[in-house]
Amino acid sequence: MLPEDITLHSSTDDSINKRKYQVLLVDDNNDMRDYLADILKEFDVHRACDGQDAIRVLKKLKRLPDLILSDIMMPNMNGYELLTVLRSNAKTRLVPIILLSARAGEESKIEGLDRGADDYLIKPFTSHELITRIRTNINLSHLRRKISIQQSKQEETKQLLLSISNKILSGTDLNETLLDIIKEIHCKLPSERIFIVSNDQSEFKNNKVVALYEGSESKTSMTNIFTEIDDKNESQSLTNSSQGFLNNNSGVDVCLDVYCDDVYKNVSVLSVEIRLNNVCWGWIKLYRSQNSNWLDSEIQLLQQISDQISLIITYSNILKENVENEIKLKVVEIANKTKSQILANTSHELRTTLGAIVGILSSFENTTIATDQRDMINIMIGASDIILSIVNDILDAAKLEAHKITLINRTFDLLELFEDTIEKFGKRTGAKKIELIVNCELDMLSRYIKTDPDRLNQVLSHLLSNSVKFTDKGEIMLTISMQSQEDIDDQAVKKGSLLIELYDTGIGINPEYIKYVWKSFSQGDMSITKKQDGTGLGLSICKDLVEINGGQINVESELGNGSKFWFRWNVELLSINSSLLLSSQFDQIRYALPHTIKQKRILIIHPVKNARNAMLNYLKGIEKVDAFDTFDEGIRATKKYKGLNNQSAYDIVFIRLYENNKEDVMKTISELRGLEMNSNNLVIIFIVFPDEIELAENLIEKVGGTTTVLYTPITWKKLINIILNRREDCNS
């Protein structure tokens, strides 16, 4: 066996002419050995008489020769056998071997090359040819070894970086991970001292050392088993070239002779920055003995390791932030649940108490008390209603935030819901002298639908309350229409979408504040809204409920020019069979006019166009309906009809009565009755605000005849009932 410590001496490509290289001559002819040794004067030549002798010589050499030149034909062990032994040994596998043969022929040459020879020479040959072949094979050998060494280094570097990358996902403590990394760095870049220091001076006067490893630099760096690197020559040449390398890498600093306080001596230092988001987080520092050199490859490796450490630190910070965020989210979730529970409990208790107060106050309505006492009770009732509304809003907002509200669908009369809701705001709008108008396309609207009526009513009530609150004159108009229908799975079930629009002539909203109207506790411009009651939760609740239903809600507004709120509410339309089943529960399936009034002739005199249009929509099925905005137009139409047909023009006249037009109303009624064939048959219906009952009654006494009152807001049922002389319904 060959000695384990035998290695080849490496060189650069041009160093072959600067020093002698060892060549082992193997030939059984002594004269031939002398002849070859004389030719190879520039080399350090060792001799052997056959293969076995060559093995003995190799064992005695301190290092393997740079090339073996062997004859094929020899006793004991010929050239082919020697070649087989050398190629089977790892230590000599890469030593170049040239075979010499006196036999010409391709077969011998092919056999030698197949057995592992690097070259093949046929005797006789010239000295120039021999030397050229030797030099070429030595150079090629050195090049192969350098490539092998470089590949080995690259593979080791790859494995090191891979090992560091795996630590990113290991979940190990950051400081422990960094300590493991610098231990691995020491295996590849032996140093006296390796440490990572952070650029953190918040708790320390100096930079904080986060990982430290002290070892020895005596361990040989990565080398190939065949190469004994001339550290001094190669390191010096590479360090000289490092200056340009460092000039282009500001994050690298090399000091070959600097005094360091932490080790109390002069050392050679390699320092590479660790950067996070283009900011210096800290450094990796390596100490070697004074004036030790650093190879370019070592600097590059440390830079690659620095990049990996940056990833580890970033990943660790992200994990830490994620944990902190999860804790924050849990804290917020617990706080929200606690807040919602407190609000719910508080709202429940307040609502119970307020309910008792409102109940007691309402008991005074039919009691005879002094006027000032009545006023105080009315003030308390109004205040209680406001507080109760606020409490309900807070409770709903808490439930919505806790996702505890779900829609409960059931079948109901759609128009009845809208009319009941509208009627609640009649007194408030009447007190402010605002026209509250409901306009429905009844022939396009399903009477019975399936959805959550309570939540639909809640959204509509909030929007109406908002409009009434911020409208001091003019009108508020609610428009209801069915926008779309869709069949579901070939069944008798249909989906529909209600479009509900609410227009007012109120103060409007500044465009700057529109984006805030849907947020909780937001009332837009506080300089305008601060005088109004409420918490700013109403529109936020509306938006949440509409979105739970799967619809959309929006607003169009301009400061000083009123607002238009609209929303789409998804409903389930009943099939024909379902409608027939409901006929036993309800009076009518469709919004149909009673047959007894379809042949009536009706005149409407109302100065508000939207109010006239709404009434016309309700009375589409009647034989003759005329609507005018002035008394003169109504009288002219009556005269024209009488002149053409020689009969009374109208059976019923609706007249909008105000405090400032009562004289004109009396004059008009007198003239209309004078034009009728039988004046006692003309029915006069005054349209007034709910709080103007005294005005209407005084005028009824003066005009006499068949006269009654319709209180705003005008709804379909109230209108039909008044025509059918159901007075009790009109006054409800």
Side-chain angles (χ1 to χ4, degrees):
M1 295 296 293
L2 297 175
E4 292 297 320
D5 59 346
I6 293 180
T7 59
L8 274 171
H9 203 292
S10 67
S11 71
T12 59
D13 291 346
D14 60 349
S15 63
I16 193 166
N17 295 319
K18 297 180 180 179
R19 63 180 176 82
K20 288 186 176 183
Y21 281 82
Q22 293 186 4
V23 175
L24 174 60
L25 295 177
V26 185
D27 197 305
D28 63 335
N29 189 315
N30 186 55
D31 293 335
M32 178 57 72
R33 290 199 300 272
D34 291 340
Y35 169 72
L36 292 174
D38 186 59
I39 294 175
L40 303 178
K41 293 179 180 179
E42 64 183 78
F43 300 102
D44 186 4
V45 178
H46 301 278
R47 306 182 188 193
C49 62
D50 55 33
Q52 291 183 354
D53 189 33
I55 298 298
R56 287 192 293 270
V57 171
L58 287 172
K59 289 182 178 181
K60 293 179 180 179
L61 293 176
K62 293 182 179 179
R63 59 184 177 85
L64 290 175
D66 295 278
L67 183 136
I68 297 175
L69 188 64
S70 175
D71 190 67
I72 292 177
M73 302 304 295
M74 294 181 294
N76 299 324
M77 183 185 290
N78 62 32
Y80 290 136
E81 294 171 336
L82 173 62
L83 183 61
T84 301
V85 172
L86 294 177
R87 287 294 179 254
S88 65
N89 191 288
K91 296 297 183 181
T92 57
R93 192 170 295 157
L94 293 181
V95 177
I97 299 174
I98 299 176
L99 293 180
L100 303 176
S101 176
R103 292 186 302 169
E106 288 298 323
E107 292 184 3
S108 298
K109 182 177 181 180
I110 291 172
E111 182 182 1
L113 295 176
D114 285 343
R115 288 175 177 257
D118 295 276
D119 207 346
Y120 192 96
L121 277 174
I122 300 174
K123 300 175 184 178
F125 44 76
T126 65
S127 60
H128 176 74
E129 182 181 8
L130 178 61
I131 293 174
T132 299
R133 293 287 188 96
I134 291 175
R135 287 178 178 175
T136 299
N137 279 280
I138 289 177
N139 282 330
L140 288 174
S141 174
H142 291 167
L143 181 59
R144 286 194 297 270
R145 290 166 191 163
K146 282 190 175 182
I147 292 173
S148 177
I149 292 170
Q150 186 63 30
Q151 289 176 340
S152 177
K153 288 182 179 180
Q154 289 177 350
E155 182 60 28
E156 291 192 33
T157 299
K158 177 182 175 182
Q159 292 301 321
L160 172 61
L161 296 178
L162 181 61
S163 172
I164 294 174
S165 298
N166 290 335
K167 294 181 185 298
I168 296 178
L169 302 175
S170 66
T172 311
D173 178 75
L174 177 61
N175 289 346
E176 292 182 13
T177 301
L178 295 178
L179 180 58
D180 290 341
I181 289 172
I182 61 175
K183 288 180 179 178
E184 292 192 34
I185 293 174
H186 181 265
C187 296
K188 311 305 177 187
L189 305 176
S191 305
E192 290 183 358
R193 183 181 180 91
I194 304 175
F195 59 96
I196 298 174
V197 57
S198 72
N199 191 18
D200 179 11
Q201 301 182 8
S202 58
E203 301 179 8
F204 301 88
K205 292 183 180 180
N206 298 317
N207 296 321
K208 179 182 178 182
V209 176
V210 295
L212 170 65
Y213 181 76
E214 293 182 304
S216 170
E217 60 177 293
S218 60
K219 183 177 178 180
T220 304
S221 182
M222 290 185 295
T223 58
N224 187 276
I225 58 173
F226 305 105
T227 306
E228 180 185 8
I229 295 179
D230 187 347
D231 291 326
K232 182 175 181 181
N233 292 335
E234 186 174 352
S235 298
Q236 187 62 49
S237 64
L238 290 173
T239 303
N240 289 338
S241 69
S242 295
Q243 190 59 46
F245 178 84
L246 296 177
N247 290 338
N248 297 323
N249 294 270
S250 57
V252 179
D253 187 26
V254 174
C255 297
L256 299 181
D257 187 9
V258 62
Y259 182 80
C260 291
D261 293 334
D262 49 348
V263 292
Y264 306 108
K265 65 178 181 180
N266 284 26
V267 292
S268 178
V269 180
L270 170 60
S271 178
V272 175
E273 278 188 359
I274 301 172
R275 301 186 68 81
L276 297 182
N277 299 323
N278 295 323
V279 177
C280 179
W281 176 88
W283 300 267
I284 312 175
K285 291 182 177 289
L286 277 66
Y287 289 177
R288 284 180 179 168
S289 57
Q290 184 179 0
N291 293 321
S292 294
N293 295 307
W294 302 94
L295 305 179
D296 285 355
S297 59
E298 293 178 317
I299 297 173
Q300 290 172 342
L301 174 59
L302 201 60
Q303 280 189 307
Q304 291 175 308
I305 294 173
S306 169
D307 293 338
Q308 295 296 100
I309 292 175
S310 296
L311 292 176
I312 290 174
I313 296 170
T314 301
Y315 182 73
S316 176
N317 290 340
I318 291 173
L319 288 180
K320 184 178 179 182
E321 289 176 6
N322 288 343
V323 171
E324 292 175 352
N325 289 336
E326 286 179 5
I327 294 173
K328 289 178 181 178
L329 287 174
K330 289 182 179 178
V331 170
V332 170
E333 183 180 352
I334 293 171
N336 285 337
K337 286 183 179 179
T338 304
K339 178 186 69 175
S340 298
Q341 190 62 46
I342 292 173
L343 286 174
N345 292 341
T346 304
S347 299
H348 176 73
E349 296 299 328
L350 286 173
R351 200 159 49 171
T352 302
T353 306
L354 284 170
I357 294 173
V358 172
I360 294 172
L361 291 173
S362 63
S363 67
F364 288 97
E365 289 184 358
N366 299 321
T367 304
T368 303
I369 55 178
T371 302
D372 57 342
Q373 292 175 324
R374 174 71 63 188
D375 291 341
M376 286 188 289
I377 289 175
N378 288 338
I379 291 173
M380 286 188 288
I381 291 174
S384 299
D385 288 340
I386 292 172
I387 296 174
L388 188 59
S389 176
I390 292 173
V391 169
N392 287 334
D393 285 350
I394 293 174
L395 181 58
D396 284 337
K399 287 181 179 179
L400 285 166
E401 189 174 2
H403 305 288
K404 289 186 177 180
I405 285 185
T406 56
L407 301 185
I408 302 174
N409 298 332
R410 58 186 175 85
T411 302
F412 62 95
D413 186 324
L414 178 63
L415 196 57
E416 183 177 343
L417 179 142
F418 283 120
E419 291 186 349
D420 290 346
T421 304
I422 285 288
E423 199 63 33
K424 294 176 185 177
F425 293 89
K427 289 185 178 180
R428 290 176 59 186
T429 54
K432 300 178 77 172
K433 307 306 178 189
I434 299 169
E435 295 285 352
L436 181 56
I437 304 163
V438 187
N439 194 352
C440 302
E441 296 287 345
L442 294 181
D443 52 346
M444 301 295 294
L445 204 63
S446 299
R447 181 162 189 171
Y448 299 106
I449 63 170
K450 190 173 185 180
T451 185
D452 190 326
D454 296 328
R455 295 306 178 186
L456 176 57
N457 173 65
Q458 186 176 2
V459 174
L460 182 58
S461 296
H462 274 306
L463 294 179
L464 278 167
S465 177
N466 211 53
S467 289
V468 174
K469 183 188 301 183
F470 296 111
T471 303
D472 294 326
K473 61 181 180 179
E475 63 187 70
I476 298 172
M477 186 172 73
L478 176 67
T479 303
I480 304 126
S481 59
M482 187 69 70
Q483 288 298 295
S484 62
Q485 297 184 8
E486 178 185 0
D487 294 330
I488 304 297
D489 298 333
D490 297 327
Q491 298 178 5
V493 178
K494 289 185 177 181
K495 293 291 185 180
S497 176
L498 284 173
L499 176 62
I500 301 169
E501 300 170 282
L502 188 65
Y503 164 77
D504 65 58
T505 57
I507 61 175
I509 304 172
N510 190 321
E512 296 180 8
Y513 295 102
I514 284 181
K515 59 185 177 181
Y516 300 112
V517 299
W518 307 114
K519 296 183 178 180
S520 299
F521 305 104
S522 173
Q523 286 187 322
D525 186 354
M526 293 303 295
S527 65
I528 296 175
T529 62
K530 63 184 179 181
K531 296 181 181 180
Q532 304 295 338
D533 300 316
T535 59
L537 286 171
L539 293 180
S540 173
I541 292 172
C542 288
K543 181 176 175 62
D544 288 339
L545 291 175
V546 169
E547 289 180 350
I548 289 174
N549 169 262
Q552 308 91 36
I553 188 167
N554 213 331
V555 59
E556 299 171 8
S557 185
E558 185 177 345
L559 192 62
N561 292 322
S563 301
K564 178 184 177 182
F565 285 85
W566 62 267
F567 68 96
R568 296 184 187 275
W569 187 272
N570 295 322
V571 299
E572 182 180 323
L573 306 176
L574 301 186
S575 65
I576 295 176
N577 293 334
S578 299
S579 298
L580 292 175
L581 291 174
L582 287 171
S583 62
S584 61
Q585 304 175 35
F586 301 98
D587 295 337
Q588 294 177 330
I589 297 304
R590 297 185 179 275
Y591 299 109
L593 289 172
H595 181 72
T596 54
I597 67 172
K598 283 186 177 181
Q599 296 178 349
K600 298 291 183 180
R601 291 165 295 168
I602 297 175
L603 172 64
I604 301 169
I605 302 176
H606 200 305
V608 180
K609 181 179 180 180
N610 286 327
R612 294 197 305 272
N613 291 338
M615 293 180 70
L616 289 173
N617 270 335
Y618 292 149
L619 302 174
K620 279 182 180 179
I622 294 181
E623 180 179 312
K624 179 177 174 58
V625 180
D626 293 324
F628 305 102
D629 63 343
T630 66
F631 299 117
D632 289 342
E633 287 180 302
I635 292 172
R636 283 197 298 270
T638 304
K639 289 179 178 179
K640 182 178 179 181
Y641 185 86
K642 182 179 180 181
L644 293 174
N645 299 284
N646 194 29
Q647 66 175 8
S648 299
Y650 302 105
D651 301 309
I652 301 172
V653 179
F654 288 91
I655 298 177
R656 186 61 171 98
L657 175 62
Y658 299 103
E659 182 69 37
N660 60 0
N661 75 343
K662 57 185 178 182
E663 298 299 330
D664 293 332
V665 170
M666 290 179 62
K667 179 181 176 182
T668 300
I669 293 173
S670 177
E671 193 166 352
L672 288 173
R673 282 180 171 168
L675 293 170
E676 296 296 321
M677 298 295 187
N678 187 348
S679 59
N680 291 329
N681 290 335
L682 182 64
V683 177
I684 305 296
I685 300 176
F686 293 130
I687 303 171
V688 297
F689 289 122
D691 62 346
E692 293 180 335
I693 183 172
E694 187 175 343
L695 170 65
E697 289 178 346
N698 289 338
L699 201 61
I700 288 173
E701 290 180 3
K702 293 180 180 180
V703 301
T706 306
T707 312
T708 188
V709 180
L710 174 62
Y711 296 104
T712 61
I714 301 171
T715 64
W716 185 78
K717 286 186 177 180
K718 287 168 69 174
L719 188 61
I720 301 307
N721 286 338
I722 198 87
I723 294 174
L724 292 173
N725 293 321
R726 295 180 179 177
R727 192 167 192 145
E728 65 279 10
D729 292 334
C730 299
N731 297 328
S732 62

